[in-house]
Amino acid sequence: SALLGLSLVGTPVLAQPDLEPKSLAAQGCMKLRECTDGVERITNFSQLTDRYGDTWASPYKEELTALIKLMNQAGVEIYIAPDEYFVPSTRGLYYTDVNRLFLNDSYVRMESVFTDVFRHEGWHAAQDCMAGTIDNSFIAVIYDDEDVPQRFQLAAEVRYGMLQARAIPWEQEAIWAGNTPYMTQDALASCASDNPMWWDYKPTPKTAEWLTTEGYPVIPPTNYESYNGSRHTR
């Protein structure tokens, strides 16, 4: 997920290996953990207060603590990295093939922005889980278009419509989740549970078709007549 913006002038070239900063090559190097200078893995909330201050994120502490724990349980690695590793104006990234989530330190120092971006990228991890298992490289929408509030559909069209229109179905959900407390937390709790995620979130027709084609049991094995696909938003 990215916002529009301008690159900074005069940024030093990265070491280990020597790559142009704020480039796709630098981003890929970070993704593969071949570029690690200044990149911190986050496994608990106390690392955030150590980094940003004891009072940082106090309104969001409970939710952020839960999100970090659930991502750990689901197998998602969380990192905060310098701006030089990201293409211009990218606030955060989630890679489905390696299950790694990266936050751009230059954008997420304010607790409200951090929480928004963390929820957003965490939702992409939930979409990864909805595609059968978080250990694959696929991603699936969780909601039908008509379920997504119109303001978030419009926000996705403005942000991605010109260059990445195909991403809108996934991004409109992530923008919604980024702005909705506990929405990502509940989805990741379902992902980290012992049952398939689509037993909690009724799959869309296309997602159900994908799951069936890939051999996943779409309908719960018991009590399926009363299965409504409960939506875990609060």
Side-chain angles (χ1 to χ4, degrees):
S1 302
L3 298 175
L4 296 177
L6 299 176
S7 61
L8 299 176
V9 177
T11 307
V13 175
L14 292 175
Q16 54 46 225
D18 186 10
L19 296 170
E20 181 69 23
K22 300 173 75 70
S23 65
L24 287 174
Q27 200 165 269
C29 187
M30 174 183 66
K31 167 192 172 181
L32 297 176
R33 302 289 293 136
E34 294 172 357
C35 292
T36 58
D37 281 359
V39 181
E40 180 184 7
R41 184 172 179 181
I42 302 299
T43 58
N44 59 75
F45 180 81
S46 65
Q47 291 173 268
L48 300 180
T49 55
D50 289 344
R51 189 181 186 101
Y52 299 117
D54 290 341
T55 61
W56 185 87
S58 54
Y60 310 99
K61 178 178 180 179
E62 180 182 357
E63 183 179 1
L64 292 175
T65 300
L67 285 173
I68 293 170
K69 180 180 179 180
L70 288 166
M71 288 188 198
N72 288 338
Q73 291 175 350
V76 176
E77 298 176 7
I78 307 159
Y79 298 91
I80 298 178
D83 187 49
E84 288 79 10
Y85 290 111
F86 298 84
V87 298
S89 297
T90 300
R91 302 189 307 168
L93 295 163
Y94 173 72
Y95 290 103
T96 62
D97 54 342
V98 292
N99 304 129
R100 291 174 182 152
L101 187 157
F102 295 92
L103 302 172
N104 186 334
D105 179 67
S106 294
Y107 285 90
V108 300
R109 295 173 185 173
M110 183 180 296
E111 51 267 62
S112 60
V113 178
F114 183 100
T115 304
D116 182 341
V117 178
F118 199 36
R119 291 169 179 163
H120 182 118
E121 301 305 332
W123 188 261
H124 288 316
Q127 291 173 330
D128 186 3
C129 193
M130 190 70 173
T133 170
I134 203 165
D135 294 324
N136 64 25
S137 59
F138 301 101
I139 192 168
V141 296
I142 298 174
Y143 287 99
D144 290 307
D145 282 346
E146 56 266 27
D147 292 332
V148 179
Q150 187 175 24
R151 67 184 183 277
F152 300 123
Q153 295 186 38
L154 292 174
E157 290 173 6
V158 170
R159 191 179 301 181
Y160 299 98
M162 292 295 293
L163 300 176
Q164 303 179 58
R166 293 180 63 183
I168 288 176
W170 292 269
E171 293 297 341
Q172 65 187 12
E173 291 184 358
I175 295 171
W176 178 18
N179 286 273
T180 306
Y182 306 110
M183 182 171 170
T184 299
Q185 178 180 326
D186 289 337
L188 288 173
S190 176
C191 176
S193 72
D194 293 333
N195 292 325
M197 188 174 172
W198 53 91
W199 291 7
D200 291 325
Y201 293 80
K202 186 176 181 180
T204 68
K206 287 186 178 180
T207 298
E209 181 180 356
W210 158 261
L211 292 169
T212 300
T213 300
E214 295 298 309
Y216 295 105
V218 174
I219 299 175
T222 59
N223 199 30
Y224 67 88
E225 291 182 356
S226 63
Y227 171 61
N228 295 313
S230 59
R231 307 293 175 127
H232 277 247
T233 51
R234 304 184 186 196

